[in-house]
């Protein structure tokens, strides 16, 4: 099973709200990723977790706060977002963080709209 | 540094005719290359992957790609297009940066299938 699940599917939030996106995989993968994808653009990497530790932060604003509570779960906490943060947020996982040739498996994404 | 160029932003073919989506890459070492497909409002699905084994790679749904080192190309083909193939296609090169895997995406090719 190569499934990555994400909840919620859709999220509408105001600029003062606090919300969280959730990602889960049960493939035993030890690397997990958050991407942001704007319409008609490729995904942009936000964060990488390797063995539950944050290994890459691509200069993402602090209003996005990732968390990896265990090897199967990845959260993205959102606070004081701006309308330009509206996008599709994709989670992915891969088996071995230390190799550059691994397949990343993507979830279906959370479509976020910030009003 | 690694990079990917998808030579066509939009390809339109008739149902039952061949599909060719072109991708050129740049990499300072032997690359891992992927093709992903994204249907509207969905996540990314892996079509196929090249990691220095056979140069002709077969993927899902009848797609295949040929790695040509001399031409630095990894074009995606399918002998006969189906209406369900209409989607966005991303060519991706993978590398290990700061101890973590990073994917470099092309800008995408939108494939339209005419009845």
């Amino acid at each position: 099973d190569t499934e990555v699940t994400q909840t919620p599917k859709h999220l509408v939030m105001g600029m003062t709200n606090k919300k969280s996106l959730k990602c889960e995989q049960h493939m035993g993968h030890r690397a997990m990723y958050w991407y942001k994808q704007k319409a008609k653009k490729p995904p942009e990497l936000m964060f990488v977790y390797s063995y539950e530790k944050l290994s890459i932060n691509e200069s993402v604003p602090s209003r996005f706060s990732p968390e990896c509570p265990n090897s199967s779960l990845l959260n993205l906490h959102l606070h004081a977002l701006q309308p330009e943060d509206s996008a599709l947020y994709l989670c992915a996982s891969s088996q071995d963080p230390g190799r550059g040739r691994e397949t990343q498996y993507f979830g279906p994404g959370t479509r976020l709209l910030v009003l | 540094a690694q990079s990917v160029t998808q030579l066509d932003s939009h390809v339109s073919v008739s149902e039952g005719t061949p599909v060719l989506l072109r991708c050129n890459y740049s990499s300072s070492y032997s690359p891992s290359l992927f093709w992903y497909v994204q249907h509207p409002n969905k996540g990314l699905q892996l079509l196929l992957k090249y990691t220095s084994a056979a140069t002709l790679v077969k993927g899902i749904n009848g797609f295949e790609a040929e790695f040509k080192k001399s031409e630095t190309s990894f074009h995606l083909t399918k002998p006969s297009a189906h209406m369900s193939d209409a989607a966005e296609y991303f060519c991706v090169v993978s590398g290990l940066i700061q101890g973590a895997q990073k994917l470099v995406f092309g800008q995408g090719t939108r494939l339209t299938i005419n009845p």
Side-chain angles (χ1 to χ4, degrees), chain B residues 29-79:
Chain B
Y29 50 86
S30 181
S32 286
L33 293 160
F34 304 80
W35 277 98
Y36 283 90
V37 60
Q38 186 174 33
H39 288 91
N41 299 311
K42 301 286 188 187
L44 276 71
Q45 180 184 19
L46 178 72
L47 276 179
L48 49 80
K49 168 184 177 181
Y50 167 79
T51 54
S52 74
T55 56
L56 183 62
V57 183
K58 292 190 185 299
I60 62 170
N61 300 336
F63 284 95
E64 62 182 38
E66 186 171 9
F67 173 75
K68 291 188 177 179
K69 186 176 179 180
S70 60
E71 298 176 12
T72 61
S73 69
F74 190 57
H75 300 336
L76 182 71
T77 59
K78 182 173 180 177

Side-chain angles (χ1 to χ4, degrees), chain B:
Chain B
Q2 295 174 301
S3 67
V4 170
T5 301
Q6 291 184 242
L7 298 167
D8 307 290
S9 60
H10 183 209
V11 170
S12 182
V13 302
S14 297
E15 191 176 18
T17 64
V19 175
L20 170 64
L21 306 183
R22 299 182 294 163
C23 172
N24 286 352
Y25 70 91
S26 173
S27 178
S28 53
Y29 50 86
S30 181
S32 286
L33 293 160
F34 304 80
W35 277 98
Y36 283 90
V37 60
Q38 186 174 33
H39 288 91
N41 299 311
K42 301 286 188 187
L44 276 71
Q45 180 184 19
L46 178 72
L47 276 179
L48 49 80
K49 168 184 177 181
Y50 167 79
T51 54
S52 74
T55 56
L56 183 62
V57 183
K58 292 190 185 299
I60 62 170
N61 300 336
F63 284 95
E64 62 182 38
E66 186 171 9
F67 173 75
K68 291 188 177 179
K69 186 176 179 180
S70 60
E71 298 176 12
T72 61
S73 69
F74 190 57
H75 300 336
L76 182 71
T77 59
K78 182 173 180 177
S80 176
H82 191 273
M83 294 299 291
S84 60
D85 295 326
E88 190 84 17
Y89 291 78
F90 292 101
C91 182
V92 180
V93 65
S94 172
L96 199 60
I97 299 172
Q98 297 173 243
Q101 183 192 30
K102 288 188 77 171
L103 301 184
V104 176
F105 286 82
Q107 288 301 303
T109 298
R110 181 162 58 95
L111 177 62
T112 301
I113 312 295
N114 303 309

